[in-house]
């Protein structure tokens, strides 16, 4: 994962951009991976751990109605989290994750391992739905990796 973070750092540094993270199911693990790299203060602005619905609203400006209508684990909420991270930071790029890491909390429509990842890069947003297998630790690790890989792909465009 360190190599992936180094590649993200190179892309952000080349643009003189800052990154923000908005994390629910990963609880700050993306921010931790980023800040494990020495010198990350040159490109990493801040991380929001918005685990509860109230935190998503309070910290990131996600509408309670949006959460009520779509559920916290949804594309609209993930996109709103990414936008909120940019609007409430000095970042030009953001990644947001919301999902069901398990082992509890799943439902027929959103089983354990369901994760929405969203990115906001220079004002352009996108999101992907992922389904990961494994225990809580594995799902969270795979989410971090997919979030960073997606960020790198979007920065390279």
């Amino acid at each position: 994962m360190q190599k992936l973070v180094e590649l993200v750092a190179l892309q952000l540094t080349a643009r003189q951009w800052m990154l923000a993270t908005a994390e629910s199911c990963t609880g700050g693990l993306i921010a931790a991976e980023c800040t494990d790299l020495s010198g990350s203060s040159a490109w990493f602005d801040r991380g929001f751990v918005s685990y509860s619905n109230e935190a998503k609203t309070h910290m990131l400006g996600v509408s309670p109605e949006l959460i009520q209508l779509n559920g916290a684990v949804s594309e609209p909420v993930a996109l709103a989290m990414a936008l909120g991270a940019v609007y409430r930071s000095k970042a030009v790029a953001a990644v947001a994750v919301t999902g069901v890491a398990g082992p509890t909390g799943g439902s027929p429509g959103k089983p354990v391992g369901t994760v929405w990842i969203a990115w906001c890069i220079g004002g352009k947003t996108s999101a992907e739905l992922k389904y990961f297998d494994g225990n809580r630790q594995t799902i969270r690790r795979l989410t971090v990796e997919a979030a960073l890989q997606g960020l790198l792909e979007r920065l390279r465009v």
Side-chain angles (χ1 to χ4, degrees):
M1 194 100 53
Q2 182 181 1
K3 184 65 177 168
L4 186 54
V5 172
E6 289 171 1
L7 293 171
V8 166
L10 286 172
Q11 292 291 323
L12 291 166
T13 303
R15 290 172 175 78
Q16 297 183 325
W17 284 2
M18 299 296 280
L19 173 68
T21 60
E23 303 180 64
S24 186
C25 62
T26 51
L29 293 174
I30 299 168
E33 285 292 333
C34 290
T35 58
D36 274 350
L37 183 64
S38 180
S40 57
S41 61
W43 55 270
F44 186 85
D45 182 50
R46 68 190 71 184
F48 298 91
V49 178
S50 53
Y51 208 75
S52 70
N53 291 343
E54 183 179 331
K56 289 172 183 62
T57 298
H58 209 57
M59 296 171 70
L60 298 167
V62 179
S63 158
E65 293 80 18
L66 191 69
I67 296 170
Q68 181 68 31
L69 184 63
N70 300 282
V73 180
S74 65
E75 181 178 21
V77 170
L79 289 167
M81 289 171 65
L83 283 168
V86 168
Y87 292 150
R88 295 175 181 223
S89 71
K90 295 180 181 180
V92 178
V95 59
V97 296
T98 182
V100 185
T104 61
S107 67
K110 295 176 185 175
V112 169
T114 303
V115 178
W116 275 100
I117 306 172
W119 300 267
C120 181
I121 312 293
K124 183 179 178 185
T125 59
S126 61
E128 290 182 11
L129 175 60
K130 302 283 188 182
Y131 295 100
F132 298 118
D133 290 321
N135 62 21
R136 183 177 183 81
Q137 181 180 1
T138 300
I139 290 167
R140 287 166 46 122
R141 181 181 50 76
L142 291 171
T143 300
V144 171
E145 188 175 329
L148 290 169
Q149 184 63 48
L151 177 61
L152 179 60
E153 289 167 6
R154 285 158 178 81
L155 287 168
R156 285 182 167 164
V157 172

